[in-house]
């Protein structure tokens, strides 16, 4: 029997891209020998015609096209998780709808999965052309940092675009956490992954939903979700400052015994108090970040809510 390949496509305000994406994949379909395709479009709460476009495709190709529509915007991570849960294929791939993840690569990826013992074929951008230099700089810093402080390897430039075996998808589904950072999750579950390099592609239509600030927050989330190093920093800074202040106290007692008690040093006392106060707030902030994550995790709310599915 032919194997099934599920294609998961998260979409947020992508009315123009949805039909273009479908056409582009249908074009490479002939090269995907011996597999049947199954599309899972996930409408992540877009209020433009994205859902209409999905419905049109579903009516045109009801055997292969499925869609899920969320009750509001839950974010790409939630859309990916939903797609992975719905997909029934023996192989599963996740792709952006804006064709930044080229469907032309699918036959090669499928071939590797089928003929070698790799469990996953991922993709990596070799350049960051078309991106503001300052963003590239921060992105590089982020990958350097997170790989230093996390046990989970996060590959620089790796896209979410990947093709996985059913076994790996099932492992990912075991991770039902609320705070999802896919780059980390894909790596955390292990399995043998091969990376294919490709040149950065421009979007076919629409515009990116990321700005500098949202990327910054995303990177902080990635760190908090996959490393406890910031907590170690807080403990370390606290330890060092108490050692230093202990030495300071000894010094002052010694000076008092030798020199008497000259009333001086008011300004420096205030400076030190402010400094210590700042460090305390900083460390409290780090701890708070983790408590916030625990809070959302403990509430155990659903990662997404489906309004319509076909
Ligand atoms: N996306 C989504 N929900 C969101 C934001 C984005 O499902 O809240 C989808 C979007 O439609 C696209 C993919 O995630 O298919 C990647 O988004 P985008 O192209 O904006 O990111 P970039 O390629 O710039 O990293
Ligand atoms: Mg994109």
């Amino acid at each position: 029997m032919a194997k099934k390949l599920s294609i998961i496509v998260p979409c947020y305000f992508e009315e123009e891209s949805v039909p273009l994406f479908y056409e582009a994949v249908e074009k490479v379909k002939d090269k995907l020998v011996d597999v049947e395709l199954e599309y899972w479009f996930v409408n992540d709460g877009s209020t433009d015609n994205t859902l209409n476009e999905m419905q049109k495709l579903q009516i045109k190709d009801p055997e292969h096209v499925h869609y899920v529509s969320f009750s509001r915007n839950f974010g790409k991570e939630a859309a990916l998780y939903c797609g992975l849960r719905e997909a029934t294929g023996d192989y599963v791939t996740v792709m952006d709808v804006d064709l930044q993840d080229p469907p032309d690569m699918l036959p090669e990826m499928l071939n590797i999965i089928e003929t070698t013992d790799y469990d996953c074929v991922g993709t990596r951008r070799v350049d960051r052309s078309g991106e503001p230099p300052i963003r590239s700089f921060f992105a590089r810093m982020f990958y350097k940092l997170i790989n230093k402080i996390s046990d989970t390897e996060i590959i620089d430039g790796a896209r979410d675009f990947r093709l996985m075996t059913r076994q790996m998808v099932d492992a990912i589904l075991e991770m039902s956490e609320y705070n999802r950072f896919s780059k980390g999750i894909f790596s955390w579950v292990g399995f043998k992954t091969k990376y294919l390099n490709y040149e950065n592609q421009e979007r076919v239509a629409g515009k990116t939903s990321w700005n500098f600030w949202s990327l910054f927050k995303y990177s902080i989330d990635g760190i908090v979700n996959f490393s406890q190093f910031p907590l170690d920093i807080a403990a370390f800074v606290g330890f060092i400052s108490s050692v230093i202040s202990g030495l300071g106290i000894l010094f002052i007692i010694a000076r008092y015994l030798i020199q008497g008690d000259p009333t001086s040093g008011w300004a420096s006392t205030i400076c030190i108090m402010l400094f210590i106060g700042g460090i305390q707030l900083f460390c409290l902030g780090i701890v708070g970040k983790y408590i916030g994550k625990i809070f959302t995790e403990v509430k155990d709310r659903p990662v997404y809510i489906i309004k319509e599915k076909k």
Side-chain angles (χ1 to χ4, degrees):
M1 215 179 77
K3 300 243 172 167
K4 197 194 274 181
L5 168 64
S6 305
I7 305 180
I8 295 168
V9 205
C11 307
Y12 184 52
F13 285 92
E14 305 278 10
E15 54 185 12
E16 290 160 66
S17 309
V18 169
L20 295 175
F21 175 85
Y22 177 78
E23 268 166 44
V25 176
E26 288 295 302
K27 258 190 212 138
V28 298
K29 199 171 168 179
D30 295 339
K31 290 192 212 131
L32 299 167
V33 273
D34 272 351
V35 289
E36 193 193 334
L37 293 188
E38 173 192 67
Y39 294 87
W40 279 100
F41 289 98
V42 182
N43 174 30
D44 185 11
S46 347
T47 49
D48 62 351
N49 284 320
T50 304
L51 180 59
N52 289 355
E53 294 296 334
M54 292 176 184
Q55 286 163 337
K56 270 193 233 162
L57 288 179
Q58 203 276 330
I59 291 166
K60 197 170 103 185
D61 186 2
E63 237 178 87
H64 303 109
V65 177
H66 303 270
Y67 66 85
V68 174
S69 186
F70 287 174
S71 60
R72 65 167 169 86
N73 177 245
F74 282 90
K76 182 183 172 185
E77 297 290 345
L80 283 184
Y81 183 51
C82 171
L84 290 175
R85 277 174 66 169
E86 300 294 342
T88 61
D90 305 284
Y91 305 117
V92 177
T93 178
V94 294
M95 298 177 80
D96 285 2
V97 71
D98 56 17
L99 291 178
Q100 280 186 307
D101 300 332
D104 301 340
M105 294 177 79
L106 282 176
E108 189 188 349
M109 292 162 85
L110 189 69
N111 188 30
I112 293 172
I113 283 266
E114 285 197 309
T115 56
T116 66
D117 63 343
Y118 283 103
D119 306 288
C120 175
V121 183
T123 56
R124 254 184 103 163
R125 289 193 297 177
V126 282
D127 64 338
R128 291 180 168 272
S129 61
E131 191 182 68
I134 181 99
R135 183 176 292 186
S136 308
F137 170 75
F138 276 104
R140 281 215 187 86
M141 296 269 293
F142 166 72
Y143 285 108
K144 275 218 180 90
L145 178 71
I146 195 160
N147 282 316
K148 278 232 165 64
I149 66 178
S150 169
D151 298 335
T152 308
E153 194 191 6
I154 316 266
I155 306 251
D156 187 358
R159 307 261 320 164
D160 287 341
F161 179 28
R162 55 183 58 230
L163 202 148
M164 298 169 277
T165 58
R166 171 52 44 192
Q167 192 187 22
M168 179 164 171
V169 173
D170 286 341
I172 292 169
L173 291 178
E174 294 275 308
M175 298 176 78
S176 55
E177 60 214 62
Y178 182 83
N179 296 294
R180 304 189 71 79
F181 182 67
S182 286
K183 286 182 199 303
I185 290 175
F186 289 145
S187 161
W188 192 92
V189 293
F191 295 101
K192 224 174 137 189
T193 304
K194 183 185 173 86
Y195 282 94
L196 302 179
N197 292 335
Y198 75 104
E199 310 247 306
N200 196 21
Q201 310 279 320
E202 299 286 331
R203 262 180 166 272
V204 275
K207 59 181 194 321
T208 176
S209 43
W210 294 91
N211 57 35
F212 187 79
W213 184 236
S214 60
L215 281 172
F216 179 74
K217 283 209 298 210
Y218 184 63
S219 57
I220 297 285
D221 280 344
I223 290 173
V224 173
N225 280 326
F226 279 90
S227 167
Q228 301 198 2
F229 185 75
L231 289 174
D232 298 341
I233 298 182
F236 182 73
V237 169
F239 175 73
I240 291 295
S241 67
S242 43
V243 168
I244 293 175
S245 58
L247 292 176
I249 289 169
L250 288 180
F251 171 75
I252 286 169
I253 292 174
R255 196 177 61 177
Y256 171 73
L257 293 176
I258 296 164
Q259 287 187 351
D261 181 21
T263 318
S264 67
W266 184 83
S268 59
T269 310
I270 295 294
C271 285
I272 290 168
M273 273 172 61
L274 288 178
F275 178 66
I276 300 292
I279 289 179
Q280 279 179 339
L281 283 181
F282 174 70
C283 294
L284 204 62
I286 294 178
V287 176
K289 197 80 201 148
Y290 283 87
I291 294 181
K293 293 280 173 204
I294 298 170
F295 185 51
T296 50
E297 216 57 68
V298 162
K299 278 192 284 188
D300 202 21
R301 291 189 177 160
V303 178
Y304 55 85
I305 292 169
I306 294 178
K307 187 176 169 201
E308 193 183 325
K309 179 166 129 180
K310 221 168 203 148

